[in-house]
Amino acid sequence: MSSQRLHPITIVFTAIKTIKDAIIPIIAMFFASFQRIASTYIYLGVAIFLILLITFSILSWYRFSYRVENEELRIEYGIFIRNKRYISKNRIQSIDLTAGVVHRLFRLVQVQIETAGGGTDAEASLKAVKRVDGERLREALKITEIQVPVQAGESINPSRHVMLKNLFIAGSTSGSVGVILALFAFSFAKIEQFIPDRIFESTIEWLIGLSILFLFGLSLVILLFLWLLGIAGTIIKYGNFTIKKNNDELFITRGLLEKKQITIPLKRIQAVGIEENLIRQPLGYVSIFAEIAGGSMEKGEDFSTILFPIMKASEVDEFLQQFLPAYRAESNKVAPLPKRAAKFYLLRVSSLFIFGVIGMAYFLPSFVWVAVVLLALSLLLGFLRYRDGGYRLEGKCLTIRYRGISRRTVSMYQKRIQSLEKKQHKIQKIQKLATMKLSIIGTGGSGRHYALEHMDNEQANRLAGWYSFRNEKPKDKK
């Protein structure tokens, strides 16, 4: 294969990325110098910056080339210093194709190549190539898999699609309002320093002068807008979501504006989990995710790979049977935590609020009810964490269930666990309790950790024995 260049639209992408990375310093310098430097010099500086930016973007595109030779992807790049990167076909874990709005207008894709231990970024990224060239490159670098005989009852190349109404439910119950509010607060903190003091102070005075009823209504309108924005974001991100299985790989396609095609070799899957947040759990909806070894973790992406954004809890067994039969459990029951562990869960989440109630009762007694409500909610969360905690052993597969805010049930095989650590503090020893911490390889090659706290000490010892191969077939007490 002869050397090829990226599509010329890459010049625009490079320029936009450069401006995006430097936007905060540019704005700060502009406002800092606006009143001290004549406008002629400002325009001259902007013109010089644009000329340098365009020159840099064109040279970066011209000096970037790639080719496949001797079962290697060979990339050469660099304007002044020539860099050469060779990626062996055997090291490649997956090749993902992504098409944003601009890509789709020109029938292009971005090719991301991931290798084992590639770090938080992709090993190589081709920003814009023709779709046919991207698909041809993926086929050229794909390792031929051994055909696995299909077992009786197992679907051949199954696929599943998310319906639009389910995406609406996913967006409505995702709890993304809090995330959007946090992003808004972060953005406001960044730009607040550029708002003139006179405008900022007059706006605050105007808000203070409004009636309580109007502010309450305005807050409801803002929350409704953010809720609708969260729904729209979910639909845009997971629109046309399809998962397919072909031999030893899963193929995921998703996105309305930015179309992503993700390839997941089954051998890279370290764990498979089910997540239920506080809103979805009573409605009987869950999402399925997987922890993938290696690969990249781009900004804005999830720490775990979503295998299916939303489905009924009753459909999970059928989904796992189709796509990941090795992770399908014979029973959904888990060994619960002992009753003596409950007090630890309750105290851990409520201790801060107990002091809050005492402080509010002393300093602001008229608002003590706020601290009492927060204390009650923290006690409820502590009880849910205790009630949902547990584990299950089935041969060489370990399943743990725990709760932060959402409840997660994660299954992993013995050979995928990198370490298993038993921890005890003095009070736990007296109560015959222990905490088990498990680690696997996660996204970006970094460690992914799980902990089941305050479990029975005997159960912890049996898990440690199971992991160290001393007990081949442990059986839980009924």
Side-chain angles (χ1 to χ4, degrees), residues 62-94:
Y62 183 78
R63 297 281 286 171
F64 190 104
S65 64
Y66 71 94
R67 69 183 186 275
V68 177
E69 185 177 319
N70 296 330
E71 295 193 338
E72 288 181 331
L73 174 63
R74 301 186 175 184
I75 299 175
E76 298 184 10
Y77 61 97
I79 299 176
F80 301 109
I81 300 176
R82 199 66 175 157
N83 298 297
K84 296 183 179 181
R85 178 179 294 179
Y86 295 166
I87 304 175
S88 173
K89 178 179 178 179
N90 296 324
R91 287 184 57 227
I92 295 174
Q93 297 285 349
S94 67

Side-chain angles (χ1 to χ4, degrees), residues 196-415:
D197 293 339
R198 181 176 55 83
I199 298 176
F200 184 79
E201 291 173 359
S202 61
T203 303
I204 296 297
E205 290 176 0
W206 175 74
L207 289 174
I208 293 174
L210 297 175
S211 66
I212 298 297
L213 184 61
F214 180 81
L215 288 175
F216 180 74
L218 181 63
S219 300
L220 288 180
V221 171
I222 292 174
L223 288 175
L224 177 62
F225 173 75
L226 294 177
W227 179 65
L228 293 175
L229 193 64
I231 295 174
T234 300
I235 293 176
I236 290 172
K237 182 177 181 179
Y238 293 111
N240 295 326
F241 187 102
T242 303
I243 180 172
K244 297 180 180 179
K245 183 180 180 181
N246 185 12
N247 298 325
D248 290 339
E249 291 180 324
L250 297 178
F251 297 94
I252 295 177
T253 304
R254 64 171 174 85
L256 291 181
L257 297 181
E258 183 182 54
K259 186 176 181 181
K260 297 181 72 72
Q261 294 181 349
I262 304 170
T263 305
I264 304 175
L266 297 182
K267 62 183 179 180
R268 285 180 56 200
I269 295 179
Q270 305 298 298
V272 174
I274 302 168
E275 183 173 9
E276 308 163 82
N277 65 26
L278 290 172
I279 304 174
R280 292 178 184 174
Q281 188 177 347
L283 300 176
Y285 285 97
V286 303
S287 60
I288 311 295
F289 66 92
E291 301 292 354
I292 311 298
S296 64
M297 185 178 67
E298 297 181 9
K299 295 180 181 179
E301 291 297 311
D302 301 308
F303 286 95
S304 306
T305 300
I306 299 296
L307 298 182
F308 212 78
I310 189 167
M311 68 170 58
K312 280 285 190 180
S314 57
E315 299 174 351
V316 172
D317 283 348
E318 179 186 354
F319 176 85
L320 294 178
Q321 178 62 38
Q322 286 182 317
F323 296 94
L324 297 163
Y327 289 91
R328 182 176 178 271
E330 297 179 3
S331 171
N332 292 324
K333 294 181 179 180
V334 297
L337 299 174
K339 292 182 179 180
R340 60 186 182 277
K343 55 182 174 289
F344 292 97
Y345 281 90
L346 295 174
L347 285 173
R348 180 169 183 176
V349 296
S350 64
S351 57
L352 180 62
F353 296 99
I354 292 174
F355 288 109
V357 169
I358 297 173
M360 293 290 282
Y362 184 79
F363 294 103
L364 296 169
S366 58
F367 292 96
V368 71
W369 63 270
V370 177
V372 171
V373 171
L374 293 176
L375 175 61
L377 291 175
S378 67
L379 289 171
L380 175 60
L381 178 60
F383 173 75
L384 291 176
R385 288 181 175 179
Y386 158 71
R387 187 193 65 180
D388 292 332
Y391 79 98
R392 178 177 67 246
L393 275 177
E394 288 183 355
K396 294 185 178 297
C397 184
L398 170 63
T399 299
I400 63 170
R401 192 173 70 188
Y402 65 96
R403 179 186 289 277
I405 299 298
S406 301
R407 186 171 77 172
R408 285 192 162 201
T409 306
V410 184
S411 299
M412 62 199 81
Y413 273 85
Q414 190 180 55
K415 63 182 180 180

